[in-house]
Amino acid sequence: LLLQHESMKWRSIHSIIVVQISRFSTKSKNKYDAIILGAGHNGLITASYLSKAGMRVLVLEKRSLVGGAAVTEKVDDELLNKIGLEVKMSRASYLAGLLRPVVIEELDLGSLFTYIPRNPSSFTPTRTAETDPLLKGTYLLLGEDEKDNRRSISQYSINDADAYIKYEAFLGQVRELLQPLIDNAPPNPFLGNFRERIRAIKTILSFLSAAIRPRHKLIP
């Protein structure tokens, strides 16, 4: 049975889990409840949750190192090697900034590494000097400060700078609407014990409350 683990119970999105309901068995008689293809950060998180749930898990990775997009490694480039320049780059480590706090807490990841908030969150150099010498050496820098973001975007378009502020406000309203569902599986008040049903009902009420407040802006 192939499952794409979108359930927030496992707190991961992209890895594919291969689960055989009647346990997987190899010739060496090693038995596993689940096999995870790929030891990226999503696969490792999934394996951790399944292991904590008492399952025996096998993680398979074709590369010689684990971590996937969260890896920073040396760029193997012929020209760089010739001039003796060593360059390291992130595969996509900034995505760790999307890691939910509940995952860090439940897996005690804070004891293994130091999480550094990403601010500024985006740096984009430009090539506009080819068409406009006045913009030579400019770049787009975005972070947590609204005024700084507006100033950075205004280098290229004041209209875009104003629209970006409105866009961020809209995203904030959407975030408030979806927040109750991010860290949990979709609530079902008809499943589980009494406490789990009460929790599901509270989640639904919280979701409805968030949906009603900004409905005039989110729904045409």
Side-chain angles (χ1 to χ4, degrees), residues 95-199:
L95 293 177
L98 306 179
L99 191 61
R100 298 295 298 164
V102 67
V103 175
I104 297 175
E105 180 182 349
E106 291 183 352
L107 298 183
D108 193 25
L109 299 181
S111 65
L112 302 177
F113 64 84
T114 300
Y115 178 75
I116 302 175
R118 188 165 54 99
N119 185 42
S121 57
S122 173
F123 169 74
T124 308
T126 68
R127 301 178 63 181
T128 52
E130 298 175 0
T131 57
D132 189 345
L134 294 178
L135 295 177
K136 183 178 181 180
T138 59
Y139 51 86
L140 183 65
L141 188 68
L142 300 177
E144 297 178 354
D145 190 279
E146 181 179 298
K147 292 182 179 180
D148 288 344
N149 291 341
R150 190 182 189 286
R151 188 180 304 110
S152 184
I153 299 173
S154 294
Q155 298 177 98
Y156 312 103
S157 170
I158 294 178
N159 289 335
D160 285 351
D162 293 335
Y164 181 79
I165 301 303
K166 295 178 181 178
Y167 170 71
E168 282 289 292
F170 172 77
L171 285 185
Q173 294 171 335
V174 174
R175 190 180 304 115
E176 182 184 5
L177 180 64
L178 298 179
Q179 190 73 26
L181 296 178
I182 292 179
D183 292 326
N184 299 282
N188 188 337
F190 303 104
L191 294 179
N193 56 38
F194 177 76
R195 179 176 299 178
E196 290 171 338
R197 295 186 182 192
I198 293 297
R199 187 184 302 117

